[in-house]
Amino acid sequence: MLGLKRGTVKLEPHQNEWVKEAEKTIEELKYLLGDIAVDIQHIGSTAISSIHAKPIIDIAIGVRDLNDILPYIEILQKNSFIFRGEDIPNQLLFVMGDLTENVLTHHIHVVKWNGLQWNNYINFRDYLNSFPQKAEMYDNYKQSLAIHFSENRRCYTEKKRAVIASILEQANYWRSNNMRSLTGKDYEI
């Protein structure tokens, strides 16, 4: 089942339906946004096949400039993508779900394509999908936190920050080394 009440934490084993739902949502977003979306990707724990996740689909929309999305807010809202504003600096958030029941099914993150946040989302996902042992360590940590903070998502998220930062450092290093080995050139990530 997709969706989780705001503020709560419940982790479920990976489900193939999450990938199918993400693909369906990405296709709809591509149709609605056209060329202003440079890329749209399934991110977050539901995009990592070997770990548990909250049953909320995370999607990143990469745009050239955050202002590019502003003329599309109304059409997105008419199609059930509810605008929440700038949830963190340089990122706009849309959500989907049953808002009358306070249940969210999707988080849509709009960020600058190939910017820091975009690269962090993609590198984190790809790194954990490429290194199952690292994914397992992260999964075990998340499951431990979920037991202690099942009714307090804010604390759950805060407690994950340091571990995520450590994984991101490894993931960004891994990505930059992959880019160098593939091309023989140094790239900034």
Side-chain angles (χ1 to χ4, degrees):
M1 174 141 199
L2 190 60
L4 191 61
K5 187 173 180 179
R6 285 187 72 204
T8 65
V9 178
K10 180 183 176 197
L11 302 180
E12 297 181 11
H14 182 80
Q15 298 174 25
N16 291 330
E17 292 78 28
W18 294 342
V19 175
K20 292 175 189 168
E21 178 62 27
E23 289 169 354
K24 184 182 105 182
T25 304
I26 288 169
E27 286 306 310
E28 183 177 5
L29 287 165
K30 285 179 180 178
Y31 173 77
L32 294 171
L33 297 174
D35 292 341
I36 71 134
V38 177
D39 196 2
I40 305 175
Q41 294 279 325
H42 181 196
I43 59 165
S45 292
T46 60
I48 302 166
S49 60
S50 64
I51 69 174
H52 291 74
K54 295 184 305 292
I56 299 173
I57 305 296
D58 283 290
I59 292 175
I61 300 174
V63 295
R64 287 175 188 81
D65 186 297
L66 285 184
N67 291 325
D68 292 348
I69 201 81
L70 300 179
Y72 292 84
I73 291 174
E74 187 175 332
I75 189 77
L76 287 167
Q77 290 198 139
K78 286 181 181 175
N79 286 276
S80 301
F81 297 95
I82 307 305
F83 184 58
R84 291 289 198 206
E86 189 175 37
D87 63 326
I88 61 174
N90 302 310
Q91 176 172 283
L92 301 177
L93 178 68
F94 290 82
V95 297
M96 295 178 75
D98 183 349
L99 301 185
T100 59
E101 294 294 321
N102 213 15
V103 172
L104 298 179
T105 59
H106 297 68
H107 292 152
I108 314 296
H109 312 271
V110 182
V111 297
K112 187 174 190 284
W113 180 78
N114 211 24
L116 178 65
Q117 290 168 314
W118 174 267
N119 289 329
N120 282 346
Y121 284 139
I122 302 305
N123 294 347
F124 186 85
R125 177 200 65 196
D126 291 352
Y127 181 74
L128 290 182
N129 275 323
S130 296
F131 294 94
Q133 309 88 341
K134 297 287 184 177
E136 182 179 4
M137 289 184 341
Y138 178 59
D139 188 38
N140 290 338
Y141 185 68
K142 283 180 21 162
Q143 288 187 65
S144 172
L145 290 177
I147 291 167
H148 296 294
F149 300 106
S150 63
E151 297 298 320
N152 191 338
R153 191 179 308 172
R154 186 170 300 192
C155 282
Y156 167 83
T157 301
E158 183 60 37
K159 297 285 185 187
K160 289 191 314 179
R161 265 187 227 292
V163 170
I164 290 171
S166 175
I167 293 170
L168 274 174
E169 185 177 328
Q170 296 167 45
N172 290 334
Y173 179 78
W174 168 75
R175 177 69 76 197
S176 67
N177 282 338
N178 277 348
M179 293 300 287
R180 276 194 292 269
S181 67
L182 288 173
T183 65
K185 297 178 184 177
D186 287 336
Y187 283 88
E188 283 190 28
I189 298 286

